[in-house]
Amino acid sequence: SQKIEQNSEALNIQEGKTATLTCNYTNYSPAYLQWYRQDPGRGPVFLLLIRENEKEKRKERLKVTFDTTLKQSLFHITASQPADSATYLCALPTSGTYKYIFGTGTRLKVLA
Amino acid sequence: DGGITQSPKYLFRKEGQNVTLSCEQNLNHDAMYWYRQDPGQGLRLIYYSQIVNDFQKGDIAEGYSVSREKKESFPLTVTSAQKNPTAFYLCASSTGGGTAGETQYFGPGTRLLVL
């Protein structure tokens, strides 16, 4: 069955550094992959979508890569700020349906 | 303001009671979803609907029921058959394009607690 794995351990980094989060998937070749941000007690908010034919996508301080050979996406936040502290989720559409599967998310804490 | 609203923010359920969580969207989206989130776990799909008057079971549909009588509304009922209902429930919608690359818009969530 299709699976997504994200590092369940929290990631602590110093303000100003680059945070890198990983999303791995198996048994699947998705047409695209999404990243969401979730703050405690709130619903996820969409950040970026990258398609299978795109190697890299950028939005302000955010960068996403998509390696279909490794079946992996990397999510980077450059010049990180304490306000970037949140849980980041990756999500994939399942083939042939309107369903999505989500990873468990990685909690990022940016230390001032 | 366009978006998704969920109510109530907190809901308490007594043993043997059915409760209904509300989800409304004014984004004119065709597809709507219900997810359950437990601590340390990802979002798990309960039910989804691609169009009015049609819905499909997700991965954990047992003990839940839904209806989709209107495009903008997708209520979720947690029945007494759901033995462990305590969780954070999230409703979402999307334009429903399948492989076109659809963003999901989420509501603020409802936290359900068992008394």
Side-chain angles (χ1 to χ4, degrees):
Chain A
S1 62
Q2 298 153 355
K3 275 188 171 182
I4 297 182
E5 288 182 0
Q6 293 185 259
N7 190 347
S8 59
E9 292 182 15
L11 177 64
N12 293 337
I13 64 165
Q14 209 62 37
E15 183 177 8
K17 300 292 186 185
T18 296
T20 298
L21 285 64
T22 304
C23 176
N24 295 299
Y25 58 93
T26 57
N27 301 327
Y28 189 38
S29 295
Y32 59 90
L33 182 148
Q34 301 170 334
W35 283 90
Y36 290 80
R37 168 182 172 143
Q38 187 176 23
D39 291 287
R42 298 191 166 212
V45 174
F46 171 76
L47 294 175
L48 281 168
L49 180 151
I50 186 165
R51 302 186 191 280
E52 60 180 339
N53 61 348
E54 298 175 317
K55 294 295 183 189
E56 183 180 295
K57 200 84 169 276
R58 291 177 185 261
K59 179 183 177 183
E60 297 171 353
R61 295 184 295 110
L62 308 181
K63 185 179 86 171
V64 172
T65 63
F66 194 9
D67 189 326
T68 55
T69 302
L70 291 178
K71 294 188 182 297
Q72 180 181 79
S73 175
L74 299 178
F75 177 81
H76 307 272
I77 305 176
T78 58
S80 60
Q81 304 165 0
D84 295 326
S85 299
T87 296
Y88 292 86
L89 308 169
C90 66
L92 301 173
T94 57
S95 59
T97 74
Y98 287 73
K99 290 169 59 176
Y100 294 81
I101 51 173
F102 282 81
T104 55
T106 298
R107 195 171 71 221
L108 172 68
K109 187 168 184 180
V110 181
L111 306 169
Chain B
D1 277 341
I4 300 183
T5 56
Q6 290 186 244
S7 62
K9 188 173 175 68
Y10 295 95
L11 185 57
F12 298 91
R13 192 191 91 163
K14 295 179 182 177
E15 290 286 342
Q17 186 181 42
N18 293 354
V19 292
T20 297
L21 285 63
S22 168
C23 177
E24 303 277 331
Q25 55 100 357
N26 61 4
L27 300 167
N28 199 32
H29 285 169
D30 286 318
M32 296 187 75
Y33 308 79
W34 274 106
Y35 294 93
R36 170 179 171 144
Q37 189 173 37
D38 295 280
Q41 294 198 38
L43 303 180
R44 292 186 291 168
L45 183 65
I46 305 172
Y47 268 97
Y48 67 105
S49 168
Q50 297 169 212
I51 199 165
V52 174
N53 292 323
D54 185 49
F55 49 83
Q56 285 79 39
K57 292 181 179 180
D59 302 316
I60 55 166
E62 186 174 348
Y64 300 97
S65 66
V66 293
S67 63
R68 187 86 187 276
E69 296 175 2
K70 298 187 294 181
K71 187 175 186 177
E72 56 270 23
S73 179
F74 192 40
L76 173 73
T77 296
V78 183
T79 75
S80 57
Q82 173 48 247
K83 298 305 179 190
N84 184 23
T86 298
F88 189 48
Y89 290 86
L90 287 159
C91 179
S93 72
S94 72
T95 54
T99 58
E102 297 304 315
T103 300
Q104 291 209 307
Y105 294 81
F106 285 85
T110 292
R111 191 164 297 279
L112 177 60
L113 300 163
V114 177
L115 295 177

